[in-house]
Amino acid sequence: MIWDSWNDMIAMGGYAKYVWGSFAVVALVLAGEQAALALRRRAALKAARSVQAPGTRA
């Protein structure tokens, strides 16, 4: 598809709400996955520290 202007490119031939909406959903899902991953990592590190007895070496 060839666009004559930025507005034509953004309009996506009349399918803009579907195209840009899908980009937004993917961006939100990826951001949510990053946040969930950070929380799981933090919880795993906390659990690993609690299992290790104080004063012992790993």
Side-chain angles (χ1 to χ4, degrees):
M1 187 174 245
I2 299 173
W3 296 289
D4 294 328
S5 67
W6 282 103
N7 287 335
D8 288 342
M9 195 275 298
I10 292 171
M12 291 285 173
Y15 295 101
K17 72 177 178 182
Y18 304 109
V19 173
W20 298 116
S22 64
F23 272 99
V25 168
V26 168
L28 287 173
V29 169
L30 287 175
E33 184 61 31
Q34 288 294 319
L37 181 62
L39 290 172
R40 288 191 306 261
R41 181 181 184 275
R42 194 173 299 140
L45 289 173
K46 184 178 179 181
R49 279 189 223 109
S50 69
V51 170
Q52 183 181 357
T56 62
R57 291 185 162 188

Tab-separated table of all heavy atoms in Angstrom:
chain	number	residue	atom	x	y	z
A	1	MET	N	0.847	-1.166	0.000
A	1	MET	CA	0.000	0.000	0.000
A	1	MET	C	0.896	1.234	0.000
A	1	MET	O	1.860	1.300	0.738
A	1	MET	CB	-0.908	-0.043	1.224
A	1	MET	CG	-1.943	1.012	1.251
A	1	MET	SD	-3.063	0.759	2.643
A	1	MET	CE	-4.542	0.444	1.764
A	2	ILE	N	0.573	2.193	-0.814
A	2	ILE	CA	1.349	3.422	-0.923
A	2	ILE	C	0.499	4.567	-0.381
A	2	ILE	O	-0.652	4.748	-0.777
A	2	ILE	CB	1.751	3.700	-2.385
A	2	ILE	CG1	2.630	2.554	-2.904
A	2	ILE	CG2	2.459	5.037	-2.504
A	2	ILE	CD1	2.944	2.653	-4.375
A	3	TRP	N	1.082	5.333	0.525
A	3	TRP	CA	0.364	6.463	1.111
A	3	TRP	C	0.928	7.761	0.569
A	3	TRP	O	2.134	7.915	0.391
A	3	TRP	CB	0.509	6.442	2.628
A	3	TRP	CG	-0.124	5.240	3.241
A	3	TRP	CD1	-1.442	4.980	3.342
A	3	TRP	CD2	0.543	4.120	3.831
A	3	TRP	NE1	-1.649	3.772	3.968
A	3	TRP	CE2	-0.452	3.226	4.276
A	3	TRP	CE3	1.876	3.779	4.034
A	3	TRP	CZ2	-0.157	2.031	4.904
A	3	TRP	CZ3	2.165	2.592	4.652
A	3	TRP	CH2	1.153	1.730	5.081
A	4	ASP	N	0.043	8.724	0.341
A	4	ASP	CA	0.452	10.022	-0.182
A	4	ASP	C	0.818	10.996	0.926
A	4	ASP	O	1.461	12.009	0.674
A	4	ASP	CB	-0.667	10.630	-1.030
A	4	ASP	CG	-0.914	9.812	-2.293
A	4	ASP	OD1	0.061	9.229	-2.814
A	4	ASP	OD2	-2.072	9.756	-2.735
A	5	SER	N	0.378	10.714	2.162
A	5	SER	CA	0.675	11.612	3.268
A	5	SER	C	0.682	10.816	4.569
A	5	SER	O	0.289	9.650	4.613
A	5	SER	CB	-0.376	12.727	3.360
A	5	SER	OG	-1.630	12.179	3.735
A	6	TRP	N	1.130	11.483	5.622
A	6	TRP	CA	1.131	10.850	6.942
A	6	TRP	C	-0.294	10.552	7.401
A	6	TRP	O	-0.543	9.532	8.044
A	6	TRP	CB	1.821	11.732	7.975
A	6	TRP	CG	3.314	11.652	7.860
A	6	TRP	CD1	4.136	12.577	7.306
A	6	TRP	CD2	4.142	10.577	8.282
A	6	TRP	NE1	5.433	12.142	7.351
A	6	TRP	CE2	5.470	10.920	7.958
A	6	TRP	CE3	3.903	9.363	8.898
A	6	TRP	CZ2	6.542	10.077	8.240
A	6	TRP	CZ3	4.974	8.524	9.185
A	6	TRP	CH2	6.274	8.894	8.855
A	7	ASN	N	-1.228	11.431	7.063
A	7	ASN	CA	-2.623	11.199	7.438
A	7	ASN	C	-3.177	9.945	6.772
A	7	ASN	O	-3.934	9.188	7.388
A	7	ASN	CB	-3.496	12.403	7.089
A	7	ASN	CG	-3.257	13.578	8.017
A	7	ASN	OD1	-2.828	13.397	9.147
A	7	ASN	ND2	-3.531	14.769	7.534
A	8	ASP	N	-2.801	9.711	5.522
A	8	ASP	CA	-3.227	8.485	4.839
A	8	ASP	C	-2.617	7.256	5.505
A	8	ASP	O	-3.283	6.219	5.643
A	8	ASP	CB	-2.822	8.515	3.367
A	8	ASP	CG	-3.643	9.483	2.540
A	8	ASP	OD1	-4.728	9.882	3.011
A	8	ASP	OD2	-3.186	9.834	1.436
A	9	MET	N	-1.374	7.373	5.914
A	9	MET	CA	-0.718	6.249	6.577
A	9	MET	C	-1.379	5.961	7.920
A	9	MET	O	-1.654	4.810	8.256
A	9	MET	CB	0.772	6.545	6.786
A	9	MET	CG	1.615	5.330	7.135
A	9	MET	SD	1.706	4.817	8.858
A	9	MET	CE	2.434	6.189	9.657
A	10	ILE	N	-1.684	7.011	8.669
A	10	ILE	CA	-2.315	6.835	9.975
A	10	ILE	C	-3.736	6.297	9.821
A	10	ILE	O	-4.188	5.486	10.630
A	10	ILE	CB	-2.282	8.160	10.767
A	10	ILE	CG1	-0.828	8.482	11.139
A	10	ILE	CG2	-3.146	8.095	12.006
A	10	ILE	CD1	-0.622	9.844	11.728
A	11	ALA	N	-4.450	6.690	8.765
A	11	ALA	CA	-5.820	6.229	8.532
A	11	ALA	C	-5.863	4.758	8.126
A	11	ALA	O	-6.878	4.089	8.297
A	11	ALA	CB	-6.485	7.091	7.471
A	12	MET	N	-4.772	4.234	7.594
A	12	MET	CA	-4.648	2.817	7.212
A	12	MET	C	-5.774	2.348	6.294
A	12	MET	O	-6.328	1.260	6.474
A	12	MET	CB	-4.603	1.918	8.446
A	12	MET	CG	-3.371	2.040	9.260
A	12	MET	SD	-2.038	1.206	8.391
A	12	MET	CE	-0.663	1.662	9.403
A	13	GLY	N	-6.141	3.182	5.363
A	13	GLY	CA	-7.158	2.794	4.393
A	13	GLY	C	-8.525	2.535	5.014
A	13	GLY	O	-9.295	1.721	4.520
A	14	GLY	N	-8.822	3.199	6.105
A	14	GLY	CA	-10.112	3.028	6.758
A	14	GLY	C	-10.108	1.986	7.873
A	14	GLY	O	-11.111	1.782	8.543
A	15	TYR	N	-8.987	1.317	8.069
A	15	TYR	CA	-8.884	0.275	9.100
A	15	TYR	C	-8.060	0.721	10.297
A	15	TYR	O	-7.594	-0.107	11.074
A	15	TYR	CB	-8.264	-0.989	8.507
A	15	TYR	CG	-9.129	-1.619	7.444
A	15	TYR	CD1	-8.840	-1.434	6.099
A	15	TYR	CD2	-10.233	-2.377	7.787
A	15	TYR	CE1	-9.635	-1.998	5.117
A	15	TYR	CE2	-11.031	-2.955	6.822
A	15	TYR	CZ	-10.729	-2.763	5.487
A	15	TYR	OH	-11.527	-3.316	4.533
A	16	ALA	N	-7.908	2.014	10.475
A	16	ALA	CA	-7.022	2.549	11.514
A	16	ALA	C	-7.401	2.083	12.911
A	16	ALA	O	-6.538	1.704	13.697
A	16	ALA	CB	-6.993	4.070	11.460
A	17	LYS	N	-8.685	2.090	13.241
A	17	LYS	CA	-9.045	1.723	14.617
A	17	LYS	C	-8.706	0.268	14.899
A	17	LYS	O	-8.373	-0.078	16.025
A	17	LYS	CB	-10.499	2.034	14.919
A	17	LYS	CG	-11.516	1.164	14.279
A	17	LYS	CD	-12.909	1.583	14.746
A	17	LYS	CE	-13.975	0.755	14.078
A	17	LYS	NZ	-15.301	1.163	14.481
A	18	TYR	N	-8.755	-0.604	13.907
A	18	TYR	CA	-8.387	-1.999	14.104
A	18	TYR	C	-6.865	-2.168	14.180
A	18	TYR	O	-6.355	-2.884	15.041
A	18	TYR	CB	-8.947	-2.866	12.978
A	18	TYR	CG	-10.440	-2.724	12.833
A	18	TYR	CD1	-10.980	-2.065	11.741
A	18	TYR	CD2	-11.299	-3.223	13.806
A	18	TYR	CE1	-12.348	-1.915	11.607
A	18	TYR	CE2	-12.671	-3.074	13.681
A	18	TYR	CZ	-13.188	-2.420	12.581
A	18	TYR	OH	-14.535	-2.270	12.464
A	19	VAL	N	-6.163	-1.513	13.280
A	19	VAL	CA	-4.707	-1.631	13.231
A	19	VAL	C	-4.082	-1.010	14.466
A	19	VAL	O	-3.312	-1.656	15.182
A	19	VAL	CB	-4.147	-0.969	11.950
A	19	VAL	CG1	-2.630	-0.940	11.970
A	19	VAL	CG2	-4.656	-1.692	10.721
A	20	TRP	N	-4.397	0.256	14.739
A	20	TRP	CA	-3.777	0.928	15.879
A	20	TRP	C	-4.303	0.383	17.196
A	20	TRP	O	-3.586	0.346	18.195
A	20	TRP	CB	-3.956	2.439	15.780
A	20	TRP	CG	-3.286	2.995	14.558
A	20	TRP	CD1	-3.887	3.604	13.505
A	20	TRP	CD2	-1.890	2.932	14.231
A	20	TRP	NE1	-2.953	3.942	12.556
A	20	TRP	CE2	-1.727	3.542	12.971
A	20	TRP	CE3	-0.773	2.420	14.873
A	20	TRP	CZ2	-0.479	3.653	12.351
A	20	TRP	CZ3	0.467	2.530	14.265
A	20	TRP	CH2	0.602	3.136	13.019
A	21	GLY	N	-5.543	-0.076	17.206
A	21	GLY	CA	-6.080	-0.718	18.401
A	21	GLY	C	-5.332	-1.994	18.738
A	21	GLY	O	-5.038	-2.280	19.902
A	22	SER	N	-4.998	-2.773	17.712
A	22	SER	CA	-4.243	-3.999	17.958
A	22	SER	C	-2.829	-3.682	18.431
A	22	SER	O	-2.291	-4.384	19.296
A	22	SER	CB	-4.208	-4.877	16.710
A	22	SER	OG	-3.514	-4.251	15.660
A	23	PHE	N	-2.226	-2.628	17.904
A	23	PHE	CA	-0.913	-2.210	18.393
A	23	PHE	C	-0.999	-1.812	19.871
A	23	PHE	O	-0.127	-2.159	20.668
A	23	PHE	CB	-0.368	-1.028	17.585
A	23	PHE	CG	0.407	-1.438	16.376
A	23	PHE	CD1	-0.197	-1.432	15.128
A	23	PHE	CD2	1.733	-1.809	16.461
A	23	PHE	CE1	0.502	-1.808	14.007
A	23	PHE	CE2	2.451	-2.179	15.346
A	23	PHE	CZ	1.833	-2.185	14.107
A	24	ALA	N	-2.050	-1.103	20.242
A	24	ALA	CA	-2.222	-0.668	21.632
A	24	ALA	C	-2.420	-1.868	22.558
A	24	ALA	O	-1.839	-1.917	23.647
A	24	ALA	CB	-3.411	0.283	21.742
A	25	VAL	N	-3.219	-2.833	22.123
A	25	VAL	CA	-3.441	-4.024	22.948
A	25	VAL	C	-2.135	-4.791	23.145
A	25	VAL	O	-1.821	-5.225	24.258
A	25	VAL	CB	-4.529	-4.926	22.319
A	25	VAL	CG1	-4.576	-6.285	22.990
A	25	VAL	CG2	-5.880	-4.246	22.404
A	26	VAL	N	-1.372	-4.954	22.089
A	26	VAL	CA	-0.091	-5.659	22.195
A	26	VAL	C	0.849	-4.906	23.130
A	26	VAL	O	1.523	-5.518	23.974
A	26	VAL	CB	0.550	-5.857	20.804
A	26	VAL	CG1	1.992	-6.324	20.917
A	26	VAL	CG2	-0.259	-6.845	20.001
A	27	ALA	N	0.906	-3.587	23.017
A	27	ALA	CA	1.774	-2.796	23.895
A	27	ALA	C	1.350	-2.945	25.358
A	27	ALA	O	2.199	-3.100	26.246
A	27	ALA	CB	1.747	-1.329	23.479
A	28	LEU	N	0.039	-2.933	25.624
A	28	LEU	CA	-0.450	-3.110	26.991
A	28	LEU	C	-0.126	-4.500	27.528
A	28	LEU	O	0.279	-4.648	28.683
A	28	LEU	CB	-1.953	-2.859	27.052
A	28	LEU	CG	-2.390	-1.409	26.929
A	28	LEU	CD1	-3.914	-1.326	26.820
A	28	LEU	CD2	-1.897	-0.594	28.107
A	29	VAL	N	-0.297	-5.513	26.695
A	29	VAL	CA	0.010	-6.883	27.129
A	29	VAL	C	1.500	-7.029	27.419
A	29	VAL	O	1.886	-7.646	28.424
A	29	VAL	CB	-0.458	-7.904	26.071
A	29	VAL	CG1	0.086	-9.294	26.352
A	29	VAL	CG2	-1.972	-7.936	26.008
A	30	LEU	N	2.339	-6.479	26.569
A	30	LEU	CA	3.783	-6.565	26.802
A	30	LEU	C	4.188	-5.817	28.069
A	30	LEU	O	5.029	-6.296	28.839
A	30	LEU	CB	4.549	-6.019	25.594
A	30	LEU	CG	4.536	-6.908	24.362
A	30	LEU	CD1	5.226	-6.201	23.197
A	30	LEU	CD2	5.197	-8.237	24.634
A	31	ALA	N	3.605	-4.657	28.304
A	31	ALA	CA	3.903	-3.904	29.523
A	31	ALA	C	3.436	-4.677	30.753
A	31	ALA	O	4.135	-4.745	31.770
A	31	ALA	CB	3.248	-2.526	29.474
A	32	GLY	N	2.249	-5.284	30.662
A	32	GLY	CA	1.746	-6.091	31.771
A	32	GLY	C	2.627	-7.295	32.036
A	32	GLY	O	2.868	-7.665	33.193
A	33	GLU	N	3.113	-7.922	30.990
A	33	GLU	CA	4.007	-9.076	31.156
A	33	GLU	C	5.319	-8.660	31.810
A	33	GLU	O	5.849	-9.375	32.659
A	33	GLU	CB	4.268	-9.727	29.796
A	33	GLU	CG	5.097	-10.979	29.871
A	33	GLU	CD	4.466	-12.097	30.689
A	33	GLU	OE1	3.235	-12.183	30.728
A	33	GLU	OE2	5.217	-12.886	31.293
A	34	GLN	N	5.841	-7.510	31.431
A	34	GLN	CA	7.066	-7.018	32.062
A	34	GLN	C	6.856	-6.752	33.545
A	34	GLN	O	7.700	-7.086	34.373
A	34	GLN	CB	7.556	-5.741	31.368
A	34	GLN	CG	8.127	-5.973	29.998
A	34	GLN	CD	9.404	-6.778	30.032
A	34	GLN	OE1	10.246	-6.577	30.881
A	34	GLN	NE2	9.536	-7.703	29.111
A	35	ALA	N	5.720	-6.152	33.882
A	35	ALA	CA	5.408	-5.875	35.283
A	35	ALA	C	5.238	-7.171	36.066
A	35	ALA	O	5.756	-7.314	37.179
A	35	ALA	CB	4.146	-5.023	35.379
A	36	ALA	N	4.526	-8.143	35.495
A	36	ALA	CA	4.325	-9.427	36.164
A	36	ALA	C	5.652	-10.161	36.346
A	36	ALA	O	5.894	-10.771	37.389
A	36	ALA	CB	3.343	-10.285	35.371
A	37	LEU	N	6.498	-10.088	35.352
A	37	LEU	CA	7.809	-10.728	35.434
A	37	LEU	C	8.647	-10.109	36.545
A	37	LEU	O	9.304	-10.819	37.315
A	37	LEU	CB	8.538	-10.611	34.093
A	37	LEU	CG	9.921	-11.246	34.007
A	37	LEU	CD1	9.816	-12.739	34.238
A	37	LEU	CD2	10.529	-10.949	32.653
A	38	ALA	N	8.608	-8.794	36.656
A	38	ALA	CA	9.360	-8.119	37.722
A	38	ALA	C	8.833	-8.522	39.097
A	38	ALA	O	9.618	-8.766	40.024
A	38	ALA	CB	9.276	-6.608	37.544
A	39	LEU	N	7.507	-8.626	39.234
A	39	LEU	CA	6.929	-9.044	40.516
A	39	LEU	C	7.290	-10.494	40.852
A	39	LEU	O	7.609	-10.807	42.002
A	39	LEU	CB	5.409	-8.872	40.489
A	39	LEU	CG	4.904	-7.433	40.481
A	39	LEU	CD1	3.398	-7.411	40.267
A	39	LEU	CD2	5.291	-6.716	41.755
A	40	ARG	N	7.242	-11.378	39.851
A	40	ARG	CA	7.607	-12.776	40.090
A	40	ARG	C	9.075	-12.900	40.456
A	40	ARG	O	9.446	-13.693	41.327
A	40	ARG	CB	7.305	-13.631	38.858
A	40	ARG	CG	5.826	-13.864	38.640
A	40	ARG	CD	5.569	-14.929	37.585
A	40	ARG	NE	6.224	-14.676	36.314
A	40	ARG	CZ	5.630	-14.140	35.264
A	40	ARG	NH1	4.373	-13.773	35.315
A	40	ARG	NH2	6.298	-13.975	34.143
A	41	ARG	N	9.933	-12.129	39.808
A	41	ARG	CA	11.366	-12.158	40.115
A	41	ARG	C	11.614	-11.695	41.542
A	41	ARG	O	12.365	-12.311	42.288
A	41	ARG	CB	12.139	-11.275	39.139
A	41	ARG	CG	13.630	-11.270	39.390
A	41	ARG	CD	14.359	-10.356	38.392
A	41	ARG	NE	15.780	-10.419	38.555
A	41	ARG	CZ	16.475	-9.701	39.435
A	41	ARG	NH1	15.841	-8.856	40.228
A	41	ARG	NH2	17.781	-9.816	39.517
A	42	ARG	N	10.961	-10.598	41.914
A	42	ARG	CA	11.110	-10.067	43.265
A	42	ARG	C	10.648	-11.092	44.304
A	42	ARG	O	11.312	-11.300	45.315
A	42	ARG	CB	10.323	-8.767	43.390
A	42	ARG	CG	10.656	-7.966	44.618
A	42	ARG	CD	9.981	-6.609	44.603
A	42	ARG	NE	10.429	-5.830	43.448
A	42	ARG	CZ	9.635	-5.068	42.713
A	42	ARG	NH1	8.357	-4.955	43.003
A	42	ARG	NH2	10.102	-4.388	41.691
A	43	ALA	N	9.531	-11.751	44.040
A	43	ALA	CA	9.013	-12.758	44.970
A	43	ALA	C	9.946	-13.962	45.052
A	43	ALA	O	10.178	-14.505	46.139
A	43	ALA	CB	7.627	-13.205	44.536
A	44	ALA	N	10.504	-14.387	43.916
A	44	ALA	CA	11.422	-15.526	43.905
A	44	ALA	C	12.697	-15.204	44.677
A	44	ALA	O	13.207	-16.040	45.433
A	44	ALA	CB	11.754	-15.931	42.475
A	45	LEU	N	13.219	-14.001	44.503
A	45	LEU	CA	14.421	-13.615	45.240
A	45	LEU	C	14.143	-13.543	46.736
A	45	LEU	O	14.967	-13.973	47.559
A	45	LEU	CB	14.955	-12.276	44.736
A	45	LEU	CG	15.592	-12.300	43.351
A	45	LEU	CD1	15.927	-10.878	42.906
A	45	LEU	CD2	16.833	-13.167	43.337
A	46	LYS	N	12.979	-13.028	47.102
A	46	LYS	CA	12.607	-12.950	48.515
A	46	LYS	C	12.471	-14.356	49.103
A	46	LYS	O	12.933	-14.619	50.216
A	46	LYS	CB	11.296	-12.182	48.664
A	46	LYS	CG	10.882	-11.958	50.088
A	46	LYS	CD	9.601	-11.137	50.163
A	46	LYS	CE	9.173	-10.943	51.598
A	46	LYS	NZ	7.916	-10.179	51.689
A	47	ALA	N	11.853	-15.268	48.362
A	47	ALA	CA	11.700	-16.646	48.826
A	47	ALA	C	13.050	-17.329	48.952
A	47	ALA	O	13.291	-18.064	49.918
A	47	ALA	CB	10.800	-17.420	47.871
A	48	ALA	N	13.942	-17.086	48.020
A	48	ALA	CA	15.267	-17.699	48.078
A	48	ALA	C	16.052	-17.177	49.271
A	48	ALA	O	16.779	-17.932	49.921
A	48	ALA	CB	16.025	-17.423	46.784
A	49	ARG	N	15.907	-15.898	49.585
A	49	ARG	CA	16.607	-15.344	50.742
A	49	ARG	C	16.052	-15.897	52.049
A	49	ARG	O	16.793	-16.084	53.003
A	49	ARG	CB	16.504	-13.820	50.739
A	49	ARG	CG	17.503	-13.174	49.826
A	49	ARG	CD	17.522	-11.662	50.028
A	49	ARG	NE	17.581	-11.043	48.720
A	49	ARG	CZ	16.600	-10.375	48.140
A	49	ARG	NH1	15.471	-10.204	48.759
A	49	ARG	NH2	16.750	-9.880	46.948
A	50	SER	N	14.742	-16.146	52.090
A	50	SER	CA	14.145	-16.650	53.329
A	50	SER	C	14.509	-18.118	53.568
A	50	SER	O	14.539	-18.559	54.709
A	50	SER	CB	12.634	-16.473	53.311
A	50	SER	OG	12.056	-17.344	52.365
A	51	VAL	N	14.778	-18.876	52.515
A	51	VAL	CA	15.159	-20.285	52.657
A	51	VAL	C	16.581	-20.393	53.166
A	51	VAL	O	16.887	-21.265	53.977
A	51	VAL	CB	15.014	-21.016	51.302
A	51	VAL	CG1	15.631	-22.388	51.359
A	51	VAL	CG2	13.561	-21.094	50.910
A	52	GLN	N	17.437	-19.511	52.722
A	52	GLN	CA	18.831	-19.538	53.158
A	52	GLN	C	18.915	-19.090	54.609
A	52	GLN	O	18.414	-18.041	54.983
A	52	GLN	CB	19.663	-18.605	52.277
A	52	GLN	CG	21.131	-18.605	52.599
A	52	GLN	CD	21.904	-17.632	51.700
A	52	GLN	OE1	21.321	-17.023	50.824
A	52	GLN	NE2	23.170	-17.513	51.929
A	53	ALA	N	19.524	-19.907	55.430
A	53	ALA	CA	19.649	-19.597	56.858
A	53	ALA	C	20.599	-18.429	57.053
A	53	ALA	O	21.610	-18.319	56.355
A	53	ALA	CB	20.132	-20.808	57.628
A	54	PRO	N	20.289	-17.555	58.007
A	54	PRO	CA	21.195	-16.441	58.276
A	54	PRO	C	22.558	-16.942	58.752
A	54	PRO	O	22.657	-17.889	59.519
A	54	PRO	CB	20.492	-15.669	59.399
A	54	PRO	CG	19.102	-16.200	59.464
A	54	PRO	CD	19.109	-17.538	58.824
A	55	GLY	N	23.593	-16.318	58.284
A	55	GLY	CA	24.945	-16.663	58.694
A	55	GLY	C	25.564	-17.808	57.928
A	55	GLY	O	26.698	-18.185	58.199
A	56	THR	N	24.854	-18.395	56.967
A	56	THR	CA	25.425	-19.477	56.150
A	56	THR	C	25.786	-18.935	54.799
A	56	THR	O	25.246	-17.956	54.326
A	56	THR	CB	24.429	-20.633	55.990
A	56	THR	OG1	23.276	-20.156	55.321
A	56	THR	CG2	24.045	-21.233	57.320
A	57	ARG	N	26.704	-19.626	54.179
A	57	ARG	CA	27.122	-19.215	52.831
A	57	ARG	C	26.355	-19.979	51.787
A	57	ARG	O	26.016	-21.143	51.975
A	57	ARG	CB	28.617	-19.466	52.635
A	57	ARG	CG	29.466	-18.545	53.457
A	57	ARG	CD	30.895	-18.770	53.109
A	57	ARG	NE	31.668	-17.622	53.564
A	57	ARG	CZ	32.920	-17.449	53.270
A	57	ARG	NH1	33.556	-18.335	52.543
A	57	ARG	NH2	33.563	-16.390	53.704
A	58	ALA	N	26.143	-19.337	50.673
A	58	ALA	CA	25.416	-19.987	49.579
A	58	ALA	C	26.345	-20.807	48.731
A	58	ALA	O	27.506	-20.668	48.669
A	58	ALA	CB	24.732	-18.938	48.714
